[in-house]
Amino acid sequence: MDALIAKADAAQPLSNKRKRTHHSNPKPGPSRKPDKTSVSILKNTSLPHSLRSRTNETVDAPQYRHIANPKLRRSLVKTSTHIAQSQALLSDAVDLLPSEESGFAQAEDPLERTWRLSQADIVKQAGGEAARGRQEMKLDGGPYRVRYTKNGRHMAIVGRTGHVASFDTLTGAVHSELQLGETCNDVVFLQDHSFYAVAQQKYAFIYDRDGVEIHKLKAHISPMRLEFLPYHWLLASVGSAGYLKYQDTSTGQLVAEHRTALGACSVLTQNPHNAVLYLGHQNGCVTLWTPNLPHPAVKVLAHLGPLSSVSVDPSENGRYMATAGKDGSVKVWDCRNWKGAVREWTLRSGGKGGAEVEWSQKGLLAIGSGGSVNMYTSPSIKTPHHPSSQPPLYLTHPLPSASHRPITSLRFAPLQDILTIGHARGTSSILVPGAGEGGMDTGEGLDLYEGVKGRREREVRGLLDKIQPDMITLDPELVGSLAPPSKLTTNTSGGSGSSRAAEIPFARLPRAERLRVSGKADLTEEGISDADPSDASDSTKPQVVNKEEKEKKKMRGKGKSLKRYLRKQRKNVIDPAAVAIRAKIEKQKAERKAEIRQVKYGDEPQEKSSALDRFRRTSKE
């Protein structure tokens, strides 16, 4: 019987099923109170917002139910939801990304000093992987210059005698090694480690990763220094001829060529924030160049003698610049205010043979001069200090012997606490705690473990997102902002009260108006720029002439013959106002002559008789 009843209940509709109530006493079991341990670790063990699915994510955003228009309400809700999600992702990034300060070396005792730490002490305290960065390469083709790729994994070296090599710093594998047999001045990687450019004695050459010559850049004659702008794909060079040249490596075209007019130049660096190039010259000047200007954007007298090195701080959006001169001084400049140096001091070695300066990603300044390399932290060198005293040292590293001099190159490895020194006997890599950036942005090509497929995709994406050279400016925030109104505008379609009155740029004015504004119009038009042609016959009305208009109409530096030529050219310009004023002047001349005759002859002057008067008809006839 129970089985039949059960089948009958199953055959009924779902809404008519018998509702059964179960009265059961609660059994003793585990407490339903939340566990304090699980609650404490829930925040740190939960899935980040950026990895959660959009369907399960709930965002507290206003719904705007008081707005009657449904289209406007949906748009506002969508915008508010997007803002709330962005704020949630930003808080997630703050929690996940490293927010602590870099691991600078600190002294335990107040009487201890960090500059007393040697490389042996730092290597002993560092981990096994970090200690591998301490290396010494003894080579015979020096002095050497060093360059790193953007992610810091690959390094290229070039010796003065023609020894060029590139290798992987992570695995130690050598990609290529060349003996060019001629003087080489500099080396730089292009978009990645697949290609690098070498500044040789006569021209600049491009080689691939295996050391095969790809291009010979004949436009770059006797280059001394090279720089590559990664977001614009531009290879820049400056040499003994004093010409700064930009070449697009994606198309092969020479984009710009500027004559510095300051002689040979051997100091070149770039601002990674706005891609402006900084040049140091023999007369102590530092000039800032962009491809779209034929003259320097900024020119500063930094030192009283030739410059030996210039570097820009990448940690604060390129705001600070460090310069070293052969006069034995180092200066730190604020690029927002060029009135004077923020900090200035004299080198400990006296500046013999020049000095090299280099900023790290975290704002450490390394200065190599004589037989040692000194490092300073940011707060001490960026704080204004009137006496030219030495800032406090952070670390120092002496070269092994005097045969290693001079120091010709300083390069911090990106994303690592390593400083590579190029000298006469090869290269030396030392550990500098707190120099490298800890976070690694794979979207910017900073992945140390990037594969072949990822590198190809990044290269194609970089070509699609390439920035045009004309967009390089001192203030990158200027791009995308509203253009200010042009100062060379004039009203040509009516008076100030006219409905058709409009301010027209100078380049779009008619030829007669351009001549009038620039002061090259006919001299008879002077003083009638605001007059109406119908009022030209009124000689009693005073003419109001603007002072600036008079200054514009002055013809300076033009000889008599040139004035005569311009006068003939202006006769072809037909202007109603000019025609009216010419008629007015002719009438005034006739009246003046009549007055003179009246004063001279008394009565009304008799008209002069002519030979044709005999044929004139008289009133009697």
Side-chain angles (χ1 to χ4, degrees):
M1 184 60 91
D2 294 337
L4 292 176
I5 293 174
K7 289 182 179 180
D9 290 340
Q12 292 178 358
L14 185 62
S15 58
N16 297 331
K17 280 187 177 181
R18 183 184 301 173
K19 297 182 180 180
R20 298 178 181 179
T21 57
H22 301 278
H23 300 282
S24 59
N25 297 327
K27 297 182 180 179
S31 177
R32 295 184 179 180
K33 294 181 180 181
D35 189 6
K36 295 182 179 181
T37 305
S38 61
V39 171
S40 62
I41 65 174
L42 181 62
K43 181 180 179 180
N44 296 328
T45 57
S46 60
L47 193 65
H49 291 276
S50 57
L51 301 179
R52 297 176 187 174
S53 60
R54 297 290 182 181
T55 56
N56 298 332
E57 187 176 1
T58 58
V59 179
D60 296 334
Q63 301 299 321
Y64 301 100
R65 300 185 185 278
H66 61 282
I67 298 178
N69 191 346
K71 185 176 181 179
L72 177 60
R73 184 171 61 251
R74 286 195 300 269
S75 177
L76 293 175
V77 169
K78 184 179 179 180
T79 304
S80 302
T81 305
H82 178 69
I83 293 174
Q85 291 177 355
S86 302
Q87 292 178 353
L89 294 176
L90 180 61
S91 62
D92 186 17
V94 171
D95 295 337
L96 292 179
L97 294 178
S99 58
E100 299 179 357
E101 293 293 333
S102 300
F104 291 100
Q106 298 179 357
E108 297 180 356
D109 194 282
L111 298 179
E112 293 182 358
R113 297 292 181 267
T114 56
W115 59 267
R116 296 183 180 273
L117 294 174
S118 63
Q119 285 297 308
D121 300 333
I122 297 176
V123 170
K124 188 183 299 182
Q125 297 296 329
E129 188 67 25
R132 293 177 54 188
R134 176 71 179 99
Q135 295 178 357
E136 289 282 347
M137 296 176 60
K138 295 182 180 181
L139 304 170
D140 297 332
Y144 281 85
R145 293 190 64 84
V146 184
R147 285 297 179 111
Y148 280 96
T149 53
K150 198 173 180 180
N151 58 5
R153 176 166 180 173
H154 303 274
M155 185 176 72
I157 60 174
V158 59
R160 183 68 59 84
T161 59
H163 178 217
V164 183
S166 65
F167 48 88
D168 190 340
T169 59
L170 193 63
T171 61
V174 178
H175 297 316
S176 63
E177 186 172 6
L178 305 174
Q179 290 290 347
L180 299 178
E182 63 177 351
T183 303
C184 296
N185 299 313
D186 201 3
V187 64
V188 64
F189 281 105
L190 299 187
Q191 68 271 15
D192 51 28
H193 68 281
S194 301
F195 301 96
Y196 60 88
V198 181
Q200 298 181 204
Q201 185 174 3
K202 294 184 66 177
Y203 305 107
F205 292 82
I206 296 179
Y207 299 89
D208 66 353
R209 185 182 62 176
D210 299 328
V212 179
E213 181 182 327
I214 303 298
H215 295 290
K216 177 181 179 181
L217 307 178
K218 292 185 178 181
H220 302 260
I221 302 173
S222 300
M224 298 293 293
R225 293 292 180 264
L226 298 175
E227 280 291 339
F228 182 73
L229 307 179
Y231 297 104
H232 306 78
W233 291 66
L234 293 178
L235 177 65
S237 72
V238 66
S240 57
Y243 282 85
L244 176 63
K245 300 180 181 181
Y246 294 84
Q247 184 146 10
D248 194 335
T249 58
S250 61
T251 60
Q253 297 179 354
L254 192 66
V255 175
E257 181 179 357
H258 301 323
R259 179 175 175 265
T260 61
L262 294 174
C265 180
S266 60
V267 178
L268 174 65
T269 189
Q270 66 166 308
N271 189 337
H273 179 60
N274 53 15
V276 176
L277 294 183
Y278 292 61
L279 272 67
H281 302 278
Q282 299 295 321
N283 61 350
C285 290
V286 176
T287 55
L288 279 62
W289 294 85
T290 58
N292 46 25
L293 289 179
H295 55 81
V298 177
K299 186 176 182 180
V300 183
L301 181 61
H303 293 267
L304 299 179
L307 272 84
S308 59
S309 181
V310 177
S311 182
V312 181
D313 182 15
S315 64
E316 297 190 19
N317 297 331
R319 293 180 179 177
Y320 292 95
M321 174 187 70
T323 60
K326 294 186 178 180
D327 56 354
S329 63
V330 176
K331 297 182 181 180
V332 177
W333 303 78
D334 190 348
C335 297
R336 298 168 296 177
N337 183 9
W338 298 101
K339 292 183 179 180
V342 177
R343 189 70 185 264
E344 177 184 358
W345 68 92
T346 306
L347 293 171
R348 297 177 183 269
S349 62
K352 295 180 180 180
E356 291 287 328
V357 294
E358 180 69 9
W359 291 91
S360 73
Q361 290 181 323
K362 300 298 290 183
L364 263 72
L365 179 63
I367 302 175
S369 64
S372 63
V373 179
N374 301 323
M375 283 144 280
Y376 305 90
T377 54
S378 292
S380 61
I381 56 179
K382 295 178 182 178
T383 304
H385 197 70
H386 295 290
S388 58
S389 59
Q390 293 279 348
L393 267 176
Y394 173 60
L395 287 177
T396 183
H397 174 71
L399 294 180
S401 63
S403 61
H404 289 66
R405 302 180 183 181
I407 298 175
T408 55
S409 177
L410 293 177
R411 294 290 173 185
F412 280 98
L415 308 177
Q416 301 180 46
D417 296 340
I418 298 175
L419 172 63
T420 303
I421 308 167
H423 47 75
R425 293 294 181 182
T427 63
S428 301
S429 298
I430 62 175
L431 300 181
V432 183
E437 183 70 46
M440 182 172 58
D441 190 357
T442 57
E444 292 291 335
L446 302 179
D447 189 1
L448 288 174
Y449 306 98
E450 185 180 38
V452 177
K453 185 177 180 180
R455 177 172 56 82
R456 290 175 179 174
E457 292 180 355
R458 180 176 55 81
E459 185 173 348
V460 173
R461 187 167 58 250
L463 283 171
L464 295 176
D465 298 339
K466 185 179 72 171
I467 304 175
Q468 295 300 322
D470 295 340
M471 300 181 69
I472 298 178
T473 57
L474 286 177
D475 185 12
E477 305 297 334
L478 182 65
V479 179
S481 60
L482 295 178
S486 177
K487 295 181 180 179
L488 293 176
T489 56
T490 183
N491 189 350
T492 59
S493 57
S496 59
S498 176
S499 60
R500 298 182 59 188
E503 296 292 335
I504 302 177
F506 179 80
R508 298 183 181 179
L509 290 176
R511 184 171 182 269
E513 292 292 336
R514 289 201 305 269
L515 290 173
R516 183 179 64 82
V517 173
S518 59
K520 297 180 180 179
D522 195 5
L523 297 178
T524 58
E525 302 178 29
E526 187 171 344
I528 62 165
S529 59
D530 298 330
D532 191 78
S534 61
D535 300 336
S537 60
D538 189 6
S539 60
T540 61
K541 187 176 181 180
Q543 300 289 342
V544 180
V545 183
N546 192 6
K547 184 177 180 181
E548 296 181 0
E549 197 70 23
K550 285 184 177 181
E551 291 293 331
K552 288 182 180 179
K553 292 180 180 179
K554 286 185 178 180
M555 302 175 63
R556 296 170 180 160
K558 296 182 176 62
K560 189 174 182 180
S561 60
L562 183 58
K563 288 182 179 179
R564 190 183 304 112
Y565 171 75
L566 294 176
R567 194 180 302 115
K568 291 180 180 179
Q569 295 293 326
R570 288 194 295 267
K571 288 184 179 179
N572 298 327
V573 180
I574 300 174
D575 192 357
V579 172
I581 201 64
R582 285 194 188 101
K584 175 185 173 182
I585 291 176
E586 299 235 353
K587 184 178 179 181
Q588 290 177 354
K589 286 182 180 180
E591 293 176 355
R592 197 177 300 113
K593 286 182 180 180
E595 292 177 359
I596 292 173
R597 289 195 190 97
Q598 186 176 4
V599 172
K600 187 175 181 180
Y601 299 104
D603 296 331
E604 193 77 15
Q606 298 293 332
E607 293 184 1
K608 292 183 179 180
S609 60
S610 62
L612 299 177
D613 289 343
R614 68 183 68 182
F615 303 106
R616 180 182 298 178
R617 291 182 180 181
T618 60
S619 58
K620 294 180 180 181
E621 297 177 355

